[in-house]
Amino acid sequence: MDFNDNSDKRVLLNRYKSRLPQKLEIQAIVRRLSSADVSKRVFLDIGMPNPLMCSLLRERGGVWVSLARSPEAAEEASHVLGESVGCLGENGEIPYDNGKFDGVVVSSDMLPAMKSPGNFIRECHRVLSGGGRLLMGMQNRKSASIINAVRRRAAARTKGGSPISASYTDKDIFKLFTDGFDVVEVDTYSRFFTELVRIHEYMLRLYGMSEAEIDSRLRKLYWLSGQLDMFCIGTRGYLNLVDARKRRWRERTAPVLSDGRSIHEAVLTQG
């Protein structure tokens, strides 16, 4: 991609290069798409944190439509992509007709930001064609992990309920998707040291630091985390990419814990 003629796009390109989780997320998505015939299919990507990630998805072929997480992000994405980019509804509504897309790709921090994750997953199901494919990112929760404690501590500093603490086990994933999808595979990425820096990035943004300041602070940290994580090759990552296939929707009873909380409420507090 050549963005030398546009300073705004150069900033976004440099940000993408320096924010290791963005690169790892796109790599994970591309790996899942590499075996698919995307050239004659229509895809929807939702909530990418950097519009250049949308550009990279378009390079895979096919027809792509993007939805942003906010009006400001939609305006930025429209400028970069040279096309109109809309927004999700307030409650995660997707403003497209039933069965419009062959595939839907959802960025890793979108699900915990939804008021009702179950309704959002159902919306993804609604706009997919028969047998359509959903690639959805979310945080992985390992048992007895230091990262769990770090996430809980970060959430506590934001008075709890923070999306950074929402993480899912394989069992949680099955329950979330069981109404209308068959989970084909769950890939993981972002290992220990990168995940520590990613949590730090989240906190810096939460406390109002500008993206340019975050770039300056984290560029070297992400480079170092990538080097250190080479020693963690072979371990499961702390971010999931769920690859699921649409089937007929069959409503199950929503699982509720003994204290009355839903699974999503539980993962928000467990970390």
Side-chain angles (χ1 to χ4, degrees), residues 124-143:
C124 292
H125 183 278
R126 179 184 64 79
V127 299
L128 278 168
S129 60
R133 189 174 187 182
L134 174 63
L135 298 180
M136 182 174 287
M138 59 181 67
Q139 293 185 142
N140 178 30
R141 183 166 75 249
K142 298 184 183 183
S143 60

Side-chain angles (χ1 to χ4, degrees), residues 43-222:
F43 291 86
L44 171 68
D45 65 79
I46 300 176
M48 294 296 157
N50 187 327
L52 293 189
M53 298 169 72
C54 304
S55 294
L56 289 169
L57 292 176
R58 282 157 169 74
E59 290 181 3
R60 303 303 302 172
V63 176
W64 287 84
V65 177
S66 297
L67 278 179
R69 59 187 71 198
S70 69
E72 294 77 17
E75 181 178 359
E76 181 180 60
S78 297
H79 173 64
V80 171
L81 299 174
E83 61 190 63
S84 178
V85 174
C87 287
L88 281 173
E90 183 179 351
N91 296 309
E93 299 91 349
I94 299 175
Y96 292 105
D97 294 337
N98 297 350
K100 181 175 178 63
F101 300 101
D102 300 299
V104 174
V105 179
V106 182
S107 184
S108 59
D109 59 352
M110 290 303 296
L111 188 65
M114 296 293 106
K115 292 180 179 178
S116 173
N119 287 344
F120 178 61
I121 290 174
R122 184 160 190 165
E123 274 290 275
C124 292
H125 183 278
R126 179 184 64 79
V127 299
L128 278 168
S129 60
R133 189 174 187 182
L134 174 63
L135 298 180
M136 182 174 287
M138 59 181 67
Q139 293 185 142
N140 178 30
R141 183 166 75 249
K142 298 184 183 183
S143 60
S145 169
I146 294 172
I147 291 295
N148 295 342
V150 176
R151 287 171 174 167
R152 286 195 297 268
R153 184 176 180 183
R157 293 174 66 184
T158 60
K159 300 181 180 180
S162 166
I164 200 64
S165 68
S167 54
Y168 300 83
T169 65
D170 290 345
K171 186 176 181 180
D172 294 332
I173 290 170
F174 173 78
K175 290 180 178 178
L176 279 168
F177 288 86
T178 189
D179 286 347
F181 291 92
D182 292 316
V183 176
V184 176
E185 194 164 349
V186 180
D187 289 343
T188 68
Y189 60 98
S190 188
R191 290 174 171 82
F192 182 80
F193 294 100
T194 297
E195 188 64 10
L196 284 178
V197 181
R198 192 180 73 87
I199 295 170
H200 182 50
E201 176 187 344
Y202 175 86
M203 297 305 296
L204 293 179
R205 186 176 296 109
L206 190 68
Y207 291 138
M209 184 170 289
S210 71
E211 293 297 326
E213 291 175 301
I214 294 174
D215 282 344
S216 177
R217 286 201 179 198
L218 299 188
R219 187 180 303 273
K220 291 182 179 179
L221 281 178
Y222 271 132

